[in-house]
Amino acid sequence: MIRIKTQEEIAKMKKAGEILAACHREIAGMIHPGITTLEIDEFVEGFLKRHHATPEQKGYHGYPFATCASVNDVICHGFPSKETLKDGDIVTIDMVVNLDGWLADSAWTYAVGNVSAEAKHLMDVTKQSLYVGIEQAVIGNRIGDISHAIQSFAESHGLSVVRDFIGHAIGQQMHEEPQVPHYGPPHRGPRLKEGMVITIEPMLNLGVYDLKIDADGWTARTADGEWSAQYEHTIAITQNGPLILTEQ
Ligand code: MF3
Ligand code: CO
């Protein structure tokens, strides 16, 4: 069932999104060689507490942290750790913020120090693919129009689209219907209606899209060890076009 949100409900989700965006801006200033992703995770816990919000991912299906921290070949759901980030790494920080029962979800990939031209290309194209998808998030289009636009853009720039993790509707639950794949044919799937709120969160890889899961049961890595990036926003479908609730 697709849960349509009222304008008041979207306004509540936007408040959660504003806290999330502010948190990402802080993280952007913290990332440097030598910091650990566990330090970032602890910062996020404190930041959300100070803003009277909670980290929805913590305890979700047993997930143990406030954030996911996915370094280099990790696609998503990496555990924050005591290992320091190194010059040239890339790291995706993903979190879901709960403010008064309403959620917002956003992931961002950060460069640590100076990254290679290839890593920069991966980050740039992945971020652009998110906005190419958002452009399609308008009343009357179908989910497949978002999916297809992202896949075409990514593949035309030599990157592959992860299949096993996809976007989703969101509200008072982290994962609502419909699902939002980042690949597939256009003009298919549910039609977009005013009041739908979805995430668009492409994960693009330099190599193959296949992945493997670590022994921890969560960490998803590229099968070939090539690097992966991800950018994610929470978006409301409105009369005035896509409204990004997590814009930094
Ligand atoms: N933020 C992720 C998403 O886009 C969810 C992370 S999985 C969790 O759906 F279990 F860690 F929450
Ligand atoms: Co999400």
Side-chain angles (χ1 to χ4, degrees):
M1 188 193 72
I2 294 179
R3 292 197 170 88
I4 296 296
K5 279 81 186 177
T6 65
Q7 288 188 10
E8 291 72 27
E9 290 168 342
I10 290 171
K12 288 181 191 174
M13 295 181 74
K14 187 155 187 291
K15 280 198 172 152
E18 282 164 5
I19 294 169
L20 206 174
C23 191
H24 268 306
R25 288 198 298 271
E26 294 290 327
I27 293 168
M30 289 170 72
I31 298 272
H32 61 85
I35 196 171
T36 72
T37 49
L38 200 55
E39 288 171 312
I40 295 166
D41 190 76
E42 284 162 3
F43 165 79
V44 168
E45 284 236 45
F47 185 93
L48 297 187
K49 206 168 275 173
R50 291 197 295 283
H51 289 82
H52 312 290
T54 55
E56 185 75 3
Q57 290 185 165
K58 198 168 181 172
Y60 183 82
H61 291 282
Y63 187 77
F65 298 97
T67 62
C68 299
S70 303
V71 180
N72 298 343
D73 64 316
V74 178
I75 295 170
C76 64
H77 302 170
F79 284 180
S81 88
K82 286 184 175 155
E83 217 167 290
T84 56
L85 293 172
K86 308 277 184 298
D87 186 57
D89 284 346
I90 63 171
V91 58
T92 303
I93 306 293
D94 185 10
M95 72 186 90
V96 179
V97 169
N98 181 328
L99 182 70
D100 301 329
W102 290 92
L103 307 179
D105 187 358
S106 177
W108 213 252
T109 300
Y110 299 96
V112 182
N114 295 304
V115 301
S116 69
E118 203 180 32
K120 187 85 179 54
H121 172 73
L122 172 66
M123 292 175 65
D124 287 346
V125 173
T126 307
K127 191 195 290 183
Q128 287 172 45
S129 81
L130 166 60
Y131 287 92
V132 162
I134 291 172
E135 265 178 42
Q136 298 298 320
V138 295
I139 295 171
N141 266 2
R142 292 180 185 271
I143 291 287
D145 296 313
I146 299 172
S147 312
H148 181 72
I150 293 172
Q151 181 179 18
S152 310
F153 182 82
E155 291 178 353
S156 74
H157 288 84
L159 300 180
S160 68
V161 180
V162 169
R163 306 299 204 253
D164 293 3
F165 297 102
I166 59 184
H168 48 92
I170 181 168
Q172 292 190 288
Q173 304 293 325
M174 190 189 300
H175 294 135
E176 297 182 358
E177 288 170 44
Q179 300 188 327
V180 184
H182 308 104
Y183 62 95
H187 318 310
R188 303 286 171 82
R191 215 176 264 289
L192 299 174
K193 293 202 172 71
E194 184 181 8
M196 286 172 65
V197 182
I198 59 171
T199 73
I200 302 178
E201 47 181 304
M203 283 148 270
L204 303 189
N205 298 351
L206 283 169
V208 299
Y209 61 71
D210 310 80
L211 58 80
K212 55 192 181 193
I213 306 288
D214 282 2
D216 62 23
W218 284 97
T219 308
R221 290 177 193 277
T222 61
D224 59 6
E226 297 276 358
W227 289 11
S228 182
Q230 180 185 23
Y231 293 85
E232 172 182 25
H233 275 313
T234 298
I235 294 120
I237 311 300
T238 81
Q239 294 278 8
N240 302 319
L243 176 63
I244 302 175
L245 303 182
T246 47
E247 188 75 283
Q248 294 170 35

